[in-house]
Amino acid sequence: MGKTYVIGEIGQNHNGSVDIAKLLVDVVSRPIHDKLFNNTLPTMDAVKLTKRDLNQELSQSQMDKPYNTPNSFGKTYGEHREYLELSDEEHFEVYKYAKEKGLDFVETLCAAGCLSMFRYFTPDKLKVASRDLTNLPLLAALAETKVPLIISTGMAGKKELDDAIDVITKYHNELSVLHCVSEYPTKYENVNLRTITYLKNNYPEFKIGYSDHTIGIATPIAAVGMGAEIIEKHITLDRGMKGTDQAGSLAIDGIYRMMRDIRNLDLSLGKEEIYIEPSVVVAREKLERSIATKVNLKKGDTIKEEDLHLLSPGDGFKWSDKKLLIGKKVITDIAKNEIIYKNQID
């Protein structure tokens, strides 16, 4: 029975605060309890932060461009980006806190210079953002670390994906590919979850998942049903917080509901066969139909098909077994509308 690997993407929803990042770690590590069946379910598996090297981010003119929006943390876009960056040491602090909570720690690294954090710790997995799938030098630098790598296809066609895979697999094959649509938020008609099936059929050597940018929890849950082994979803403390990604993220209640539903779906998927689940035996015996008498039968009577119909409970002969009854004599009286049992016939 598989368990979906779920990543809570903090990204930069920490708004430049280690304390907010830690609070989000607390949220995703809270127990998830299904009250109906009294089950405690597994939490998210990992949290993810994003690290940029501003020297390798944007042109100088873009960094100097005025950035006057309600979500701005600086007068220019460069100042805004700088405000949101946590240092390597601060990433390490959040890493240690996540590990204390039993969570994996994933890093999206946006430049080779971000590998400086390896002086302090090695993330459990590295992520490449959709925009960097064609940044082949970055892919090579990240793959060279031999840390398991996750890539997103949000801006890619097959050629871009294949080029990226060719670069990465020169170093290792511990690769996961996430279907993604780089539209924020993604319109439902643009999600195309069937890409997950395409990726599973065409890249069976890799783990296939889904990075979601829709509002709500329906599409990531459906993605699991379609075979996604990894789910990535933006998370926040409050969707009304300042920041460009907050409104499109899951807040505390949404995180809880998504994880409850994904973990119950993990339990529900089962195996590719048809069988009678042992837990339904009691209901089957009570509710299924058995061959019963349509008339009063006396000891010595010969059973005819017109004497028979079907009633519950289901602990007698099934209609497919009627040949075992027709033409047989009854060895005891059987009243009308009663089940016929094996010990009542000759």
Side-chain angles (χ1 to χ4, degrees), residues 26 71 77-78 107 167 191 210 246 268-269 283 286 304 308 336 338:
D26 287 336
N71 291 313
Y77 192 68
E107 283 278 5
V167 169
V191 170
Y210 174 58
Q246 308 286 4
S268 302
L269 288 172
K286 178 181 178 182
K304 302 183 291 296
L308 307 176
K336 178 182 177 180
E338 291 295 344

Side-chain angles (χ1 to χ4, degrees), residues 272-301:
E272 197 170 331
E273 61 178 275
I274 184 168
Y275 59 94
I276 298 172
E277 174 60 43
S279 64
V280 308
V281 169
V282 172
R284 185 182 186 210
E285 184 171 304
K286 178 181 178 182
L287 299 174
E288 267 194 351
R289 312 230 181 217
S290 300
I291 295 176
T293 56
K294 193 186 291 186
V295 297
N296 292 318
L297 293 178
K298 298 291 186 182
K299 180 179 179 180
D301 285 349

Side-chain angles (χ1 to χ4, degrees), residues 24-298:
L24 280 164
V25 171
D26 287 336
V27 167
V28 302
S29 59
R30 289 175 182 171
I32 298 172
H33 192 71
D34 186 329
K35 295 178 183 177
L36 180 61
F37 294 107
N38 196 28
N39 281 343
T40 298
L41 303 168
T43 64
M44 283 187 177
D45 299 277
V47 291
K48 181 169 79 71
L49 292 184
T50 297
K51 179 66 175 172
R52 291 174 169 86
D53 182 340
L54 297 183
N55 294 317
Q56 302 177 56
E57 185 62 24
L58 288 168
S59 66
Q60 192 59 50
S61 59
Q62 285 295 102
M63 293 290 279
D64 292 339
K65 189 174 181 178
Y67 193 59
N68 183 24
T69 77
N71 291 313
S72 174
F73 290 96
K75 293 179 181 179
T76 65
Y77 192 68
E79 290 176 0
H80 166 77
R81 290 255 61 98
E82 187 174 0
Y83 182 92
L84 290 173
E85 284 302 320
L86 299 179
S87 67
D88 289 350
E89 294 86 350
E90 288 170 321
H91 277 256
F92 184 36
E93 188 176 344
V94 182
Y95 164 84
K96 289 187 291 184
Y97 193 71
K99 301 304 280 185
E100 288 171 10
K101 298 289 184 177
L103 297 170
D104 282 354
F105 193 80
V106 184
E107 283 278 5
T108 295
L109 301 185
C110 298
C114 299
L115 289 167
S116 60
M117 68 172 54
F118 276 56
R119 293 174 299 174
Y120 298 93
F121 70 101
T122 301
D124 296 291
K125 292 175 173 40
L126 294 177
K127 173 77 192 296
V128 178
S130 292
R131 66 171 185 153
D132 278 320
L133 196 66
T134 56
N135 186 345
L136 301 185
L138 174 62
L139 298 185
L142 299 185
E144 193 173 10
T145 68
K146 303 296 176 69
V147 175
L149 200 55
I150 303 170
I151 58 177
S152 279
T153 66
M155 302 181 185
K158 189 174 189 305
K159 180 185 185 303
E160 290 81 6
L161 177 57
D162 288 342
D163 288 348
I165 289 173
D166 286 345
V167 169
I168 294 164
T169 53
K170 286 182 173 66
Y171 299 92
H172 67 80
N173 289 296
E174 286 194 74
L175 176 64
S176 301
V177 181
L178 307 188
H179 169 49
C180 178
V181 179
S182 297
E183 178 185 26
Y184 308 93
T186 307
K187 296 183 184 71
Y188 301 106
E189 60 267 30
N190 295 336
V191 170
N192 200 48
L193 285 178
R194 287 193 174 90
T195 299
I196 294 169
T197 307
Y198 173 87
L199 292 171
K200 289 179 74 69
N201 290 336
N202 287 274
Y203 302 92
E205 65 271 42
F206 307 124
K207 284 191 175 180
I208 303 301
Y210 174 58
S211 179
D212 184 53
H213 296 124
T214 65
I215 301 297
I217 65 174
T219 51
I221 293 166
V224 174
M226 296 191 71
E229 299 173 82
I230 301 172
I231 293 293
E232 180 181 79
K233 183 77 171 176
H234 282 273
I235 59 173
T236 182
L237 294 177
D238 183 342
R239 296 177 65 236
M241 287 174 66
K242 184 177 179 178
T244 53
D245 286 336
Q246 308 286 4
S249 301
L250 282 186
I252 296 170
D253 181 60
I255 293 167
Y256 184 92
R257 289 185 293 110
M258 184 185 78
M259 290 312 304
R260 177 200 61 199
D261 290 355
I262 285 178
R263 293 312 184 207
N264 280 332
L265 184 53
D266 284 340
L267 296 172
S268 302
L269 288 172
K271 47 194 175 184
E272 197 170 331
E273 61 178 275
I274 184 168
Y275 59 94
I276 298 172
E277 174 60 43
S279 64
V280 308
V281 169
V282 172
R284 185 182 186 210
E285 184 171 304
K286 178 181 178 182
L287 299 174
E288 267 194 351
R289 312 230 181 217
S290 300
I291 295 176
T293 56
K294 193 186 291 186
V295 297
N296 292 318
L297 293 178
K298 298 291 186 182

